[in-house]
Amino acid sequence: MEVTIDLDFTPRSPRPDEPYTESTFVRSSSRYTFRSEEIGVALVDLWNFGWEDGPVIDSLGFDLSTERGTSHALRKKEIILNKITPAVRSLRQQGIQIFHCNHPQFLRHYPQWLTSTKEEERAHLADIQEFCEVSMEEKSTAFPEFEWQETWRSRHSDDVFNVSWMNVQGHVYDRIKIPIEVEPQEGDLLIYSREQFDRLLRSRGIRVLFYMGFETDECIINSTYGIRNMHSYGYMTNIVRDCTTTYESAETVKGLWRTKVATEQIEKLWGYSIISSDLVNSFNKNNPGGLEF
């Protein structure tokens, strides 16, 4: 089935009959026609913070067990329940391939893990030991001096992240699950790396990806299965604007400005954006029997 989709972008160049100034850089759309078989949905790092059965460290309580505060956790929960879940349900019905992009320690508990990975990939994953070591020579000759670097970097990390709290809160990651509303279903595939993602995309002829999940400016863009890496392989990497967010600050939370800036960065460098209702309705126009959105 062919599907025609209007994909959004924010221009950085002159528009016809418009003054060339920042106020005219208004989100616009570009029309594409794809085969439905070449489209996939990438769900990135959907975790059950904010759910009743979500991960909580008893000594910290609900609020301090979240990653970036309760407002952030509950905003993500609302997006998963009210935007991602219905969109994925409808797109799955249309035959669109769903990919769950997440950390292998969470994914290996699902039966789809064996159908998504090869034996050698699982063996390699078990053998991986990540480390970073600076040689003694580098330590002694570095400028700025290595000890000075370590001092200010350690202090900065503690100022921003509160290392003592992180050491306790980090134990929630042993308890994280994918929320039941968006758990992998039969036919879904589980993704843990760019190489494995590329292999599965190639084998299925999928070259257009619509990303949903978190965090927009971090994992969505920079994770091994994220937009930057998959764009480098040549895939069209698009973000679904109302199916993503990132953590904000006191200065940005009212307008969700960090999320919006990250979305524009994706539009500028790696692909397009769309809202979930427009994506779903693009398929329903071609298949009137699809779920209404």
Side-chain angles (χ1 to χ4, degrees):
M1 180 181 75
E2 286 194 340
V3 57
T4 298
I5 306 177
D6 291 328
L7 298 176
D8 298 337
F9 65 96
T10 302
R12 300 293 192 272
S13 55
R15 302 289 94 185
D17 304 318
E18 294 278 358
Y20 187 33
T21 183
E22 291 164 314
S23 63
T24 63
F25 297 167
V26 177
R27 184 168 278 125
S28 307
S29 64
S30 186
R31 180 160 292 180
Y32 281 83
T33 299
F34 306 110
R35 289 179 294 104
S36 59
E37 309 88 72
E38 63 184 345
I39 296 173
V41 170
L43 304 178
V44 174
D45 293 356
L46 303 187
W47 298 339
N48 61 335
F49 284 109
W51 271 257
E52 288 185 3
D53 63 344
V56 174
I57 300 299
D58 292 340
S59 62
L60 295 179
F62 175 82
D63 291 5
L64 294 180
S65 294
T66 62
E67 287 188 297
R68 299 290 179 259
T70 52
S71 59
H72 173 246
L74 295 177
R75 183 167 70 252
K76 293 203 297 185
K77 179 181 180 181
E78 181 181 2
I79 290 171
I80 291 173
L81 293 178
N82 298 329
K83 297 295 182 178
I84 296 179
T85 297
V88 168
R89 184 183 300 125
S90 181
L91 293 169
R92 187 186 281 119
Q93 186 192 55
Q94 298 283 3
I96 301 304
Q97 181 65 62
I98 307 300
F99 297 96
H100 299 263
C101 306
N102 219 308
H103 299 271
Q105 63 264 37
F106 309 142
L107 297 179
R108 59 167 56 104
H109 301 296
Y110 297 96
Q112 294 85 354
W113 178 244
L114 293 180
T115 56
S116 302
T117 56
K118 293 182 176 181
E119 184 177 350
E120 54 265 35
E121 289 172 334
R122 295 191 294 273
H124 174 69
L125 197 57
D127 292 338
I128 289 177
Q129 291 184 349
E130 295 182 359
F131 64 92
C132 181
E133 200 170 280
V134 180
S135 71
M136 292 305 296
E137 182 179 357
E138 289 173 324
K139 290 182 180 180
S140 61
T141 61
F143 185 85
E145 297 82 359
F146 183 79
E147 185 177 354
W148 185 85
Q149 295 177 39
E150 287 290 285
T151 299
W152 86 260
R153 286 174 175 166
S154 176
R155 179 172 176 177
H156 175 264
S157 180
D158 195 34
D159 284 342
V160 175
F161 295 105
N162 187 343
V163 173
S164 61
W165 165 76
M166 282 185 64
N167 289 337
V168 180
Q169 189 269 345
H171 293 293
V172 301
Y173 294 96
D174 298 328
R175 311 178 188 185
I176 286 175
K177 296 179 181 178
I178 297 174
I180 190 170
E181 293 83 359
V182 285
E183 275 190 326
Q185 302 296 309
E186 183 178 356
D188 293 358
L189 293 169
L190 312 184
I191 303 301
Y192 74 91
S193 76
R194 61 183 177 183
E195 294 83 6
Q196 179 229 8
F197 203 2
D198 179 52
R199 174 179 66 79
L200 291 172
L201 291 171
R202 285 173 176 268
S203 70
R204 286 157 176 78
I206 295 172
R207 48 189 176 185
V208 181
L209 293 171
F210 289 93
Y211 278 81
M212 306 178 187
F214 317 105
E215 313 290 346
T216 321
D217 57 345
E218 294 186 358
C219 297
I220 288 279
I221 291 176
N222 294 315
S223 62
T224 180
Y225 35 69
I227 282 177
R228 187 195 299 269
N229 274 327
M230 302 321 294
H231 176 271
S232 73
Y233 281 111
Y235 297 101
M236 178 189 275
T237 50
N238 309 301
I239 185 72
V240 184
R241 295 195 303 272
D242 57 339
C243 291
T244 187
T245 193
T246 190
Y247 55 92
E248 304 284 343
S249 69
E251 292 190 57
T252 67
V253 66
K254 186 175 181 179
L256 299 181
W257 296 117
R258 286 193 64 195
T259 301
K260 292 176 180 177
V261 168
T263 299
E264 284 200 13
Q265 183 184 26
I266 292 168
E267 292 177 343
K268 179 174 69 173
L269 297 176
W270 301 297
Y272 293 89
S273 76
I274 194 170
I275 60 172
S276 57
S277 58
D278 286 347
L279 177 61
V280 168
N281 290 334
S282 296
F283 287 90
N284 290 341
K285 289 176 185 176
N286 292 274
N287 181 10
L291 290 175
E292 293 186 2
F293 194 84

